[in-house]
Structures are given as C-alpha cells and as structure tokens.
Amino acid sequence: MEQTFEARFLSARRAVIAARFQNLNEMQREGVLTTQGPLLLLAGAGSGKTTVLINRIANLIAFGEGSDSNEIPEYIAEADVTYLEDYLKTRDPAMQQQAERLCALRPAAPWSILAITFTNKAANELKARLQALLGDYAMDVWAMTFHAACCRILRREIGRLDGYTGRFTIYDTSDSERVMKDILKDFGLDEKSLPPRLALSVISKAKDKRQGPEQFSKHAGKSGDYRMDRIAQLYAEYEKRLHEANALDFDDIILKTVELLEQFEDVRTYYQRKFHYVMIDEYQDTNQLQYQLTALLAGGYENICVVGDDDQSIYKFRGATIENILSFEKQFKGARVIRLEQNYRSTQAILNAANAVISHNRGRKGKKLWTQNAAGDRITVYEAASESDEANYISSRIISMSKGKNFKDFAVLYRTNAQSNAVENAFKRSGIPYRIIGGTRFFDRAEVKDMRTRQAMLELKEALHLPVLPRRIEGYDISNTQGILSVASMVVFQDGLPDKKAYRIYRIKTVEGANDFASMAEVITRRFTHGLKERHEREQAGLDPDAGSFSKLPDVILIDGGPEQLLFAHRAMQEAGASVPMFGLAKRFEEIYLPGREDPIVLDRRSNALHLVQYVRDEAHRFGITHHRALRGKEGLRSELSAIPGVGPKKQAALIRHFRSVKAIFEATQEELCQVEGISTGLAQRIYDYAAQRGKPSSRPQE
C-alpha cells in the first residue's frame, strides 16, 4: 500500500535525525529521539546515561521537536520529501546539511534547556562534552547542580522575599556550625549534650519537609521529646540570625527558590516559559524539596526527562526518597518509560550476579542488565571470620596472583573509609605498596593526625618544661636578598596546623647588611612591643585582649638558629617586657637550645615533637624565601625595563601583560612591540636596540 505524503515525510524525518545518532544502541537512540512530554529513563549502571543526556540535548538544539512530533511545516513540499528519501539512500555528505535543515522543527535555544546534575564535576563534564559536540553555542545550556541553578534564580529574584537582597551570603557547613555553636553558648547549653551537628541535621530534615520553626515547634511539642523541644528553640534563633545576616544555608537555597516560585505567579511563569526542556540526572537521589522544585520548573511545557536507577538509591540517610522515581508515571501523566539495560562496563558474569541480588529488592520497577562483553571469570565468594581475616586473605591473594604482574594492576574496593585500616595494615606487613584513591591514608586522616599532633604537643611540653600545652607556636626566620635586603618571616601554628592568616613579613629597618643576630633582635622587639601595647589598650577598653591583630601571645616561640641567635632573641623579648617561653632549633644536628642552658636537647628522630618543630621551622624558612623570590622578580623586572628611556611603570605593566615575560619582550620584533598600547614606533626601536645591545637579540627576523 502506497504511503501518503505525510507518512513519507514523518518517516524520512525521523530516519534522517536517527542517522545523526547511529553510534548509539537502539534504546539509547530511542531516549535521544523522545523529546516531548514526560520521560523516565531507567538507566542501569554502566549503560551510558550521560551519553544519552548529551546527545538528547544535541538533538533538541539541532532538531527541536522534529524526531518526536507528527507536525508537518506548511513549507514542506513533495520535492522536499523526495530529497530526504534520496539522501537516506545515498548518504551523500553534500546533501546532509539541507536534509537536516528540512528536519528541524522549532530547535531549542541552549538557554531554554535546564540539565540538573548532582555534582559540579558531572556538570562540568556535561558542558565539556556538549562543547566538543556542538561548539561554544552549547555553553549557554543551564547544565549545573540544583544549588547552582537555584542560586542563579535567587540572585535575580530573592528581593521579593522580605528582608533579603540579591547580595546574600551562602553559609557552608562550617559557617552553620559556627552560628549554632554561638547560639548554644548564648542559650547556656553544653555542646556535648546537644552537639551542633545534631541540631543542624534535625533542622535540615525539617526544611526538607518544609517545616518552619513554628511548625517544627508544634510537632516537637507533641512528640514529648525534650531534646526536640530544645532544637525547636535553636531552630527559631538560627533562622533569625541567618535572616539578619542576609544569609542562606544550603537547605535554604532550594527552599527559598520553591517559596519564590509558589508565591509569585509572574516569577513562576517566567521560568516555566524560559525552560522548554528540563532534565534531571540521578533522579533516584532527589529529596521531596528537589521534586517540588522540578515539578514547578517543568510545569510550563511538561517536557521533563529524568534519568535514574531505582536499584541505586543509597542516600535515604540524607533525605533522598525512592518514591520520586517509583511514582514518576503517577506524578507526570502520560509519561513514557525507556529502559537502558545494555551495560558497557562489566562482564556478563558480574551482571548475572548483580541481577540475581537486585531481583530481591522491594519496590523496584524492574530491569535486567546485559552486555556484549565477554562472559568473564566466575565470581569467588570468601566468608571471612573477621576484618583482619578478610584483610589477610586479600593480601595473600594479591601476592599469589602478582607473579608477572605489577601491583598497580590490582584494586581493592571498600564501602567506608574506616574499612581501609585493616587492609592497609595487612599490606604493610606483606610489603605490598599501595595508594588510596579518592580518600586519605589511614595514618594521614584528620582524626589520626589530631592524635599525633596532640602527642607531639605533649612531648614538646615535657621536653621544654612548658607551663601549658603549646597549642599556639610562633616560628621566626631571617632571610636575605643578595646579602643586602633582610626580612624576618613569622609563621603561626595553631593546634599543629598553619594559621596562614596570621603570617607576617617584617622588613628589617635598623640593621645594615646581613646581620642575622641583630635582625632577629629587631623583629622580636617590634613584635612584642606592638603586641603588648595593643593588649594593654584592649584591656583598658574592656575588650578581649586576645582578639586583636597582634595582642594574642603564643604559648612558645621557635627561633630558627642555634645558641647565638636564641640569645639575641631572648634578650630582645625581655627588654620588650614579655615573658614567653622560647627555644632555638639548629639545623646541623636538629638540636634544641633553651635560654641559659648550654647543653642542647636532642629529641628522638622518630619523635612527633621533633617532626612538629621541624615543620614550623621549615614553614618559616619557606615563607621568607617565597617573599624574597617575589621581591627579586619585581626588582629584576624594574631594573631591566627601567633602563630603557621612555619605559615607565605604566608601559612596563602594559608590556608584561602583553608578552607575559621580560624574555618574550626582548625577543619580540619591532612590529610586535608596536602592537602594545602606548608603545610608539620610536620606543619600539629603542626597546629592540636595547635587547640587541645586551646580547639578546631577537630570535626571529624583523618583519
């Protein structure tokens, strides 16, 4: 039966567009070509869901509704249909552009597409791949996280909410904890009985449920839980302080956006008309608030596409609800479901095992992963008696299988960071080298470092007979530029960690030449004279004496040097009227010297205390040297270019901005020099001649 004109065109249009995505498998291509209405892509692990999203966006920008619509533009004629059919037969590259133009139906503008991912890394990858596929034009797609998209909306619209401006501050986790700690202190509550993180976690869950302080307070009162009642009070005060500071926490970013869209019809209408297409990745990990945001933004055209795996929902603890993906078809009427089941990552043996385990999950929509990869080795299951038994088994298996292979050919996967401890210990005993990917070695972790740091401070307190634990250490070093310009570097360590905001550089003023002893005396005098004066002034004014720029005194001072250096520093401090414990660390034998004590203190080379003071000493030296390198660079630049008549500071800056280095300036042709703003032909000639006279003529012929 002969096809109608309409049927021929629609068939040819879909075939031409599909040919653009022939590198995809059948179900991936179906997901790309389905552009209108609600769409659920059930994507198994390793099924190429990101590839589908990228190509779907490319299809929308290139062809719009063409692949998923029965609409035929009025301008399409019989000759156009014949042209498309001829192209499909010949695939002549010369015909491709015109054929694809005929297939486009209301192509989407990049800025009308919203593609939400869960991490900045995923968003950047999406943008980079889109740019590689479509060019810079695709960079206008809103490819970003939920929070980034909401921030962009809030910067423009939040002024509609009482008390907020577009210049709001976003509090991160540490900022929120700081605010909560202050509240607990003001309320006279102990952080041990009610930890700030616990209170913030409860508040976060309340915000996800859209419970404000008043509603949460009513709920807490009914529960009979004293702690919840306390948190309700903290919640109210927390919100008050954020509001007064024109600040939002992470939960507020989405919550306030939802409130804006719900309360202001014109705002809601604007964004619903703006976003013709809304796409959400990792939909199984969305929470209730994120679902509400998605539904509001997609409410205009209802062209919403979500990608997710109902078998990978692991973030219930942070508010994610699997119901969002399980009930998608109920929430969005007429939704289509496409399953991406072909796996490109694993062997069939692994997929068979995964399918068998996952089949027992409750509340799933169902899919079965398969692959064209090899069957692969059978899976071995070992039931360990303990974590050490497990680690020893892993270690022995790697050793037995490592013959003829490199250790880098093996990988050990574990669920939580804490599980690596036993494995790392087993590897150390067996001599297996290893590297932690995406985490931190056990012995480098914060909690372990904290333990080591405290041990170091305890050892140092005992060795130096300090009156208090040396939580705040100041380290001093003298360095010279070509034996002439001297500076002192001061570094500050708080609880074993560098406090770089407190670092200082002192330009030596009263000492001529490279006299390290006198220079050290000068800087100690200046530091403590200034510090004690500021401390006194703050005490007189009724202010916290430790809260000034210089008034907070260290628990101990480290001087980079031996007995002589220490003597000058100690005498200067006494004369300034300060009495802070002080010691010197001599580099040659890593000996510690104390004022008035002839014999040095030698710490064990493995001592945590020695490692700490070495760290402080080396940091002071590094800080001073870094400063000098910057000075030398500036001085070198000034001396090189200032020698040329007519090259003042502004022209020096312009030359450096243009050529990036002095070497490049002196290798430039006269024509290239003239391209710099403010450089005349005559001045370009002088620069060129100067370069030739200094023995570094241009490496390129003058044009």
Side-chain angles (χ1 to χ4, degrees):
M1 184 176 176
E2 188 175 346
Q3 284 187 313
T4 64
F5 164 81
E6 291 80 4
R8 287 169 55 207
F9 173 74
L10 293 175
S11 176
R13 180 169 70 183
R14 187 172 175 88
V16 170
I17 297 174
R20 182 81 171 265
F21 306 100
Q22 59 186 349
N23 59 313
L24 305 177
N25 68 42
E26 182 182 353
M27 300 314 294
Q28 287 177 330
R29 188 159 53 249
E30 190 65 24
V32 169
L33 300 182
T34 304
T35 62
Q36 302 305 296
L39 172 64
L40 169 60
L41 291 173
L42 279 177
S47 61
K49 60 184 178 72
T50 305
T51 297
V52 173
L53 279 179
I54 290 167
N55 282 276
R56 191 171 189 273
I57 294 171
N59 179 34
L60 292 170
I61 292 175
F63 302 106
E65 304 170 27
S67 62
D68 199 29
S69 174
N70 292 327
E71 180 183 339
I72 301 175
E74 294 181 355
Y75 56 78
I76 296 296
E78 177 70 30
D80 297 321
V81 179
T82 303
Y83 187 92
L84 293 177
E85 291 171 339
D86 289 343
Y87 169 70
L88 289 169
K89 290 176 184 177
T90 64
R91 300 297 173 95
D92 184 354
M95 301 174 64
Q96 182 177 348
Q97 186 175 358
Q98 174 64 7
E100 292 184 349
R101 188 187 66 79
L102 291 170
C103 294
L105 179 65
R106 290 184 288 277
W111 50 87
S112 71
I113 300 172
L114 173 64
I116 296 292
T117 64
F118 262 76
T119 65
N120 288 319
K121 182 180 179 182
N124 292 333
E125 181 190 353
L126 190 66
K127 284 185 176 181
R129 291 177 64 177
L130 277 173
Q131 187 179 24
L133 193 64
L134 300 172
D136 291 341
Y137 185 64
M139 296 306 289
D140 289 328
V141 172
W142 277 47
M144 56 192 69
T145 64
F146 273 108
H147 288 91
C150 289
C151 277
R152 186 176 289 192
I153 295 172
L154 288 173
R155 293 293 180 194
R156 171 177 168 150
E157 310 289 353
I158 199 172
R160 292 171 177 262
L161 298 176
D162 290 340
Y164 290 100
T165 72
R167 308 184 94 176
F168 60 85
T169 302
I170 299 173
Y171 282 2
D172 61 16
T173 304
S174 61
D175 293 327
S176 295
E177 285 187 19
R178 174 178 51 77
V179 173
M180 184 55 69
K181 286 180 179 180
D182 289 343
I183 295 172
L184 288 167
K185 184 178 179 181
D186 293 344
F187 278 45
L189 297 175
D190 186 7
E191 291 184 21
K192 293 181 179 178
S193 60
L194 186 52
R197 289 190 179 183
L198 172 63
L200 290 169
S201 176
V202 174
I203 292 170
S204 177
K205 290 176 181 177
K207 288 186 177 183
D208 182 45
K209 297 175 183 176
R210 302 192 65 182
Q211 292 180 343
E214 291 185 11
Q215 190 178 359
F216 180 80
S217 181
K218 292 178 182 178
H219 177 76
K222 293 178 182 178
S223 70
D225 188 332
Y226 173 77
R227 181 176 284 191
M228 289 296 104
D229 193 50
R230 277 292 192 187
I231 292 176
Q233 298 174 26
L234 299 176
Y235 185 7
E237 182 63 22
Y238 176 74
E239 287 297 281
K240 178 185 172 193
R241 296 193 185 190
L242 260 63
H243 195 268
E244 290 173 348
N246 191 34
L248 306 176
D249 63 17
F250 281 148
D251 297 301
D252 286 330
I253 293 172
I254 299 178
L255 177 60
K256 297 299 181 186
T257 307
V258 171
E259 289 178 358
L260 272 168
L261 295 172
E262 286 182 341
Q263 294 177 23
F264 301 95
E265 185 179 357
D266 59 328
V267 176
R268 181 172 65 255
T269 302
Y270 172 81
Y271 287 102
Q272 287 180 345
R273 289 177 177 175
K274 174 180 176 61
F275 297 125
H276 291 222
Y277 300 93
V278 176
M279 285 174 262
I280 312 293
D281 195 10
E282 305 292 359
Y283 195 65
Q284 77 279 353
D285 293 330
T286 54
N287 58 29
Q288 188 60 28
L289 204 54
Q290 289 165 337
Y291 158 70
Q292 292 173 355
L293 175 68
T294 301
L296 285 166
L297 292 175
Y301 297 90
E302 294 192 348
N303 290 328
I304 179 172
C305 169
V306 302
V307 185
D309 186 355
D310 52 322
D311 295 321
Q312 291 191 62
S313 182
I314 60 174
Y315 291 111
K316 186 177 180 180
F317 69 91
R318 68 182 188 193
T321 172
I322 190 66
E323 288 302 317
N324 287 347
I325 196 169
L326 294 179
S327 60
F328 182 81
E329 295 152 275
K330 294 180 182 178
Q331 295 163 344
F332 298 94
K333 302 298 182 183
R336 288 180 274 186
V337 180
I338 296 174
R339 287 171 168 80
L340 305 180
E341 297 177 310
Q342 183 175 354
N343 180 282
Y344 293 90
R345 188 182 299 163
S346 304
T347 64
Q348 192 60 55
I350 291 174
L351 294 179
N352 288 342
N355 288 328
V357 173
I358 291 171
S359 65
H360 297 285
N361 283 6
R362 299 175 188 171
R364 62 189 297 263
K365 302 184 81 68
K367 60 184 176 301
K368 191 172 182 178
L369 302 182
W370 61 276
T371 185
Q372 292 181 339
N373 297 336
D377 297 333
R378 295 183 63 185
I379 295 173
T380 300
V381 177
Y382 177 80
E383 294 186 24
S386 64
E387 66 174 10
S388 59
D389 179 30
E390 178 186 52
N392 291 332
Y393 172 78
I394 294 170
S395 177
S396 63
R397 287 285 292 164
I398 290 175
I399 290 174
S400 65
M401 297 170 65
S402 63
K403 295 177 182 176
K405 299 179 181 179
N406 293 319
F407 284 116
K408 66 180 181 181
D409 296 328
F410 298 87
V412 179
L413 306 180
Y414 45 86
R415 189 170 59 85
T416 64
N417 287 332
Q419 292 178 291
S420 77
N421 185 17
V423 178
E424 289 187 64
N425 282 323
F427 283 179
K428 286 180 179 293
R429 288 194 299 269
S430 303
I432 299 174
Y434 68 94
R435 181 162 60 99
I436 302 293
I437 306 297
T440 308
R441 286 174 178 259
F442 174 78
F443 300 101
D444 292 336
R445 288 181 197 147
E447 61 272 20
V448 179
K449 280 189 170 182
D450 288 345
M451 179 182 67
R452 287 184 166 182
T453 299
R454 184 164 180 82
Q455 183 62 37
M457 290 189 294
L458 287 169
E459 290 177 5
L460 194 62
K461 179 178 182 293
E462 184 178 349
L464 304 184
H465 305 289
L466 300 175
V468 297
L469 197 69
R471 297 187 59 191
R472 187 176 181 88
I473 304 173
E474 288 184 5
Y476 292 84
D477 183 39
I478 303 295
S479 55
N480 305 284
T481 300
Q482 298 175 346
I484 300 173
L485 180 63
S486 295
V487 299
S489 54
M490 183 190 90
V491 300
V492 179
F493 275 59
Q494 184 68 44
D495 294 325
L497 296 175
D499 182 7
K500 295 189 177 182
K501 293 183 292 187
Y503 285 17
R504 296 285 187 274
I505 287 289
Y506 292 85
R507 195 90 168 250
I508 302 302
K509 300 176 179 179
T510 63
V511 182
E512 295 185 5
N515 188 331
D516 289 357
F517 302 152
S519 297
M520 183 64 75
E522 180 191 322
V523 72
I524 293 295
T525 299
R526 288 165 58 188
R527 188 269 181 260
F528 285 97
T529 301
H530 191 175
L532 292 174
K533 180 183 177 184
E534 185 183 36
R535 190 174 182 87
H536 176 72
E537 290 173 348
R538 293 185 66 84
E539 288 174 344
Q540 290 293 104
L543 301 174
D544 183 0
D546 289 327
S549 301
F550 294 93
S551 61
K552 188 174 180 63
L553 302 181
D555 297 317
V556 69
I557 295 168
L558 184 156
I559 302 297
D560 183 9
E564 295 85 359
Q565 192 94 322
L566 179 64
L567 176 63
F568 276 79
H570 187 251
R571 188 181 297 160
M573 186 180 64
Q574 287 181 320
E575 291 174 356
S579 59
V580 178
M582 178 182 293
F583 69 98
L585 181 62
K587 284 181 183 173
R588 185 178 178 185
F589 298 111
E590 300 292 48
E591 297 169 330
I592 290 177
Y593 289 89
L594 297 177
R597 177 171 169 171
E598 294 184 3
D599 56 314
I601 298 172
V602 180
L603 298 176
D604 190 292
R605 289 294 185 264
R606 296 165 297 179
S607 163
N608 290 319
L610 179 61
H611 295 164
L612 175 60
V613 297
Q614 287 174 328
Y615 186 11
V616 177
R617 187 266 314 280
D618 294 344
E619 180 67 1
H621 184 69
R622 181 205 62 78
F623 187 52
I625 292 299
T626 302
H627 176 76
H628 271 314
R629 284 173 181 165
L631 284 180
R632 282 197 293 270
K634 291 178 182 178
E635 293 294 332
L637 171 62
R638 191 177 294 113
S639 62
E640 285 283 357
L641 296 179
S642 300
I644 306 172
V647 182
K650 290 185 178 179
K651 290 185 174 60
Q652 291 173 23
L655 286 164
I656 288 296
R657 280 197 304 270
H658 188 89
F659 291 104
R660 302 292 184 185
S661 70
V662 176
K663 183 175 182 290
I665 296 171
F666 290 146
E667 289 183 346
T669 65
Q670 293 181 44
E671 184 177 297
E672 290 169 336
L673 290 167
C674 286
Q675 294 175 6
V676 180
E677 184 180 357
I679 304 299
S680 64
T681 304
L683 185 55
Q685 181 68 54
R686 285 200 297 275
I687 296 171
Y688 186 83
D689 291 344
Y690 179 84
Q693 293 171 3
R694 69 195 287 275
K696 296 183 179 179
S698 174
S699 60
R700 292 165 286 183
Q702 188 175 350
E703 298 173 356

